[in-house]
Amino acid sequence: MVSPDLERPSAFAELSRDQLAILVPELLLTGHLIDRSGMAHTIGAFGREGMTAVAIEEWRVASPVYTRRMQRALGFTGDGVETIFKGLQLDIGAPPQFMDFRYRVDDHDHGAFWLDHCGALADVEPLGEDYVRSMCHDIEDPTFDATALATNPHAQVRPIHRPPRVPADRHPVCSWTVTIDASHTPPPVPANFDRVAESYAARVLLDPIDPGDDGQSDYAGPLLSDLRFSDFSRSALIRMADEVCLQQHLLALGFLIAIGGRTDAAAAATIGRKQFAGIAGLTSERLRHALGLGTDAAALAQVLRLHPAWNPLRYSGVHIQHEDIGVRLRLPKRSGAVADGVWPSLIDADHLESLEAMARGVNPRFAAHVVDDNDDEFAIVFLLGDKPFREAGEVAITRFSTGADFRFTDRGIPLPLTVV
């Protein structure tokens, strides 16, 4: 039985508008890096072709669900290429600047995009042409279409050119057309899509954006060359942050479903925990740096409250308290997240690696100690030890990505992309 607290405020409501404008692109980027954390372990279990199949399945079942959520939240629910492009700008699959999508809208049914920089390609090119083809051909073809289909079932995304790059420094790195045509036959609904679409993550209710708040309250206007998050209202940014966290849970759910269909439950849980530990630690580190926090217990408490693993709070039900002794985390055993079987469900007294990786992204001296484990909740306290712990291997693997050290820049006033 799941009884979410529908009155519980967003954890992001404690932040200022300026802080939220910094945080939202960070959350989009860390959501993208989930695959950097999980796919290395997937390759180890199933090989490159198995990894490719898992990636296709997870994105195909997750992206249409969270794309429609964001469209409804930000008020851009059209059915043309402009709406598709707006969705990509708020998608963990295309975090700003790291995946530097550029757009052109020709008319309602025709447009194009290209990447001036592709952080994912920078991560994969050193692995060789086979991995590049797996990502830029095998994975992108069905998953780009899946994202577009969330807006219009007759949309197709097709390459003009894409890697492997010839010559090796070809720029832009890839280019694609988007065409909507009633003659296009939509692909069949992928297996397990209903399981994701009917999950608690897909259905969780969040507070609407306050249209009277200072700043832009929706994205109903023209498509912009870039989203300048500081232009949005505080209320809109809070909703964006919670929606981006749900994107991460939905992608993790798709990943765990895909893994679970290829191995036994114990092995799937092991891979899921490794994925969780890798992204948990790197995300904490980036959040701490982005918000200019310290390394003490107060900083850990704030990072934990804002960590996408625990948000939205109505989904995870987690409680985090900064106490004299340390930082206490109370995780209910009945919540939407636990019922869905995503990251919080993978934690127990014998599996604290993800929690410790999360805390050590703030300070490598933190350790997790179980203080309660009953029918209702699991509780741990983070305490500082005398010496730093070695970085977890799962975090080190995720740090392989160029996204680990990526820094956003101010690009100034964005331009509207209008039809000529």
Side-chain angles (χ1 to χ4, degrees), residues 346-364:
L346 300 176
I347 296 170
D348 58 38
D350 296 320
H351 299 98
L352 302 178
E353 298 87 355
S354 300
L355 294 177
E356 296 195 311
M358 196 178 295
R360 291 168 190 165
V362 175
N363 188 321

Side-chain angles (χ1 to χ4, degrees), residues 172-187:
V173 298
C174 66
S175 185
W176 303 74
T177 62
V178 182
T179 304
I180 297 171
D181 190 320
S183 68
H184 293 163
T185 301

Side-chain angles (χ1 to χ4, degrees), residues 24-371:
V24 170
E26 284 290 337
L27 293 173
L28 285 164
L29 176 56
T30 57
H32 187 80
L33 297 180
I34 291 171
D35 266 358
R36 301 303 179 278
S37 178
M39 288 308 168
H41 307 293
T42 310
I43 292 168
F46 310 114
R48 178 178 56 81
E49 292 183 356
M51 175 276 294
T52 300
V54 168
I56 292 170
E57 181 172 345
E58 65 169 342
W59 287 99
R60 286 184 72 199
V61 298
S63 67
V65 177
Y66 65 63
T67 295
R68 292 178 184 129
R69 280 195 61 101
M70 189 67 83
Q71 288 175 344
R72 292 192 297 270
L74 272 294
F76 58 98
T77 54
D79 61 358
V81 295
E82 184 172 296
T83 301
I84 293 171
F85 294 162
K86 286 181 178 181
L88 284 171
Q89 289 178 319
L90 291 163
D91 190 320
I92 58 174
Q97 300 183 22
F98 183 69
M99 303 290 289
D100 196 10
F101 280 67
R102 305 287 88 193
Y103 302 99
R104 187 188 76 242
V105 178
D106 299 320
D107 56 39
H108 178 275
D109 294 333
H110 301 87
F113 65 83
W114 57 96
L115 271 71
D116 277 351
H117 171 76
C118 180
L121 181 63
D123 293 346
V124 170
E125 275 187 325
L127 302 178
E129 186 172 308
D130 286 344
Y131 280 91
V132 171
R133 288 189 177 278
S134 289
M135 181 180 76
C136 300
H137 294 244
D138 301 335
I139 295 173
E140 297 293 18
D141 283 354
T143 57
F144 270 150
D145 270 354
T147 301
L149 290 168
T151 298
N152 193 306
H154 301 291
Q156 286 187 346
V157 182
R158 295 294 180 266
I160 299 171
H161 69 82
R162 54 181 163 174
R165 291 192 283 176
V166 180
D169 60 350
R170 184 172 190 174
H171 187 83
V173 298
C174 66
S175 185
W176 303 74
T177 62
V178 182
T179 304
I180 297 171
D181 190 320
S183 68
H184 293 163
T185 301
V189 175
N192 296 312
F193 175 77
D194 288 347
R195 183 173 168 185
V196 176
E198 296 169 5
S199 66
Y200 283 93
R203 294 180 287 121
V204 66
L205 297 176
L206 299 174
D207 291 334
I209 296 168
D210 180 359
D213 203 359
D214 290 340
Q216 191 173 326
S217 61
D218 58 38
Y219 195 11
L223 173 71
L224 300 174
S225 56
D226 291 289
L227 286 188
R228 189 167 63 172
F229 292 96
S230 59
D231 290 339
F232 286 90
S233 70
R234 183 171 172 273
S235 175
L237 290 167
I238 290 169
R239 180 62 184 268
M240 279 186 204
D242 273 325
E243 291 290 348
V244 174
C245 291
L246 283 172
Q247 290 187 16
Q248 299 195 28
H249 288 293
L250 287 162
L251 186 67
L253 176 57
F255 175 80
L256 291 166
I257 289 172
I259 294 293
R262 290 165 171 81
T263 189
D264 60 73
T270 297
I271 295 171
R273 291 186 177 106
K274 289 179 180 295
Q275 179 211 46
F276 185 18
I279 194 59
L282 189 60
T283 298
S284 287
E285 182 180 309
R286 288 196 61 93
L287 293 180
R288 185 182 76 81
H289 284 299
L291 296 175
L293 303 176
T295 59
D296 59 5
L300 174 61
Q302 184 166 5
V303 167
L304 291 178
R305 283 194 293 270
L306 302 176
H307 202 289
W310 314 126
N311 286 288
L313 296 178
R314 293 176 185 177
Y315 181 57
S316 76
V318 73
H319 288 269
I320 295 151
Q321 300 158 291
H322 179 202
E323 303 174 343
D324 290 340
I325 190 175
V327 178
R328 184 184 297 264
L329 184 149
R330 296 164 44 220
L331 189 63
K333 293 189 175 178
R334 287 177 291 278
S335 70
V338 171
D340 282 346
V342 293
W343 291 328
S345 71
L346 300 176
I347 296 170
D348 58 38
D350 296 320
H351 299 98
L352 302 178
E353 298 87 355
S354 300
L355 294 177
E356 296 195 311
M358 196 178 295
R360 291 168 190 165
V362 175
N363 188 321
R365 290 169 50 205
F366 276 115
H369 303 270
V370 178
V371 293

